[in-house]
Amino acid sequence: VQILAEYFQVQIVVVDTVSGCSTIFGEALNFPSRMVLIYDGIHYDALYYSAPDGTTQTVHPTSDSSILEKAKVTAEEAKAAHNYTDTGGFTLKCLVCGFRMKGETEAQKHAKTTSHTNFSEV
């Protein structure tokens, strides 16, 4: 993410849905703009503002700290709605043999020993 912040010359704030922690990339470079990403355990989704005229805004001035509070609230709402993936604790089922396992580590072990790579979250 740091590389993207430097390349696009924008501060990127990542808010983790589960922990609520924020990590700021490009903060020391004093970019005039920032964007916020919400991390759900697997994916990063851009936080955006929908204006009444139908336009959307994903890049905000770094002087506007209200976007950080909105990001925190969005992450809290996502956590309360269980809109995240716990890669260490989720239960998976192998769609090839039906074996059930817990977490990414067990899935990787099963894939390595069986060559099965088709899983579904239970």
Side-chain angles (χ1 to χ4, degrees), residues 2-120:
Q2 179 68 32
I3 293 169
L4 293 172
E6 291 175 19
Y7 180 81
F8 290 110
Q9 297 186 3
V10 63
Q11 186 183 94
I12 300 176
V13 180
V14 176
V15 181
D16 184 282
T17 300
V18 176
S19 70
C21 292
S22 297
T23 305
I24 303 172
F25 297 89
E27 182 176 28
L29 300 172
N30 297 316
F31 296 131
S33 302
R34 82 163 46 109
M35 66 179 302
V36 178
L37 302 176
I38 305 293
Y39 178 65
D40 69 2
I42 295 180
H43 301 87
Y44 293 87
D45 294 305
L47 186 67
Y48 65 92
Y49 168 74
S50 292
D53 65 1
T55 60
T56 58
Q57 179 182 354
T58 56
V59 179
H60 309 272
T62 52
S63 60
D64 179 9
S65 61
S66 69
I67 191 67
L68 300 177
E69 185 57 35
K70 290 174 186 172
K72 182 179 176 184
V73 170
T74 300
E76 289 170 354
E77 290 172 352
K79 182 178 181 180
H82 204 291
N83 289 337
Y84 61 89
T85 301
D86 176 8
T87 60
F90 61 3
T91 302
L92 295 171
K93 177 181 175 183
C94 176
L95 297 178
V96 177
C97 69
F99 180 73
R100 290 180 181 254
M101 63 216 83
K102 185 170 184 157
E104 181 179 21
T105 303
E106 287 185 23
Q108 289 174 343
K109 182 179 176 184
H110 181 74
K112 186 175 182 178
T113 59
T114 65
S115 298
H116 298 168
T117 58
N118 194 3
F119 304 99
S120 177

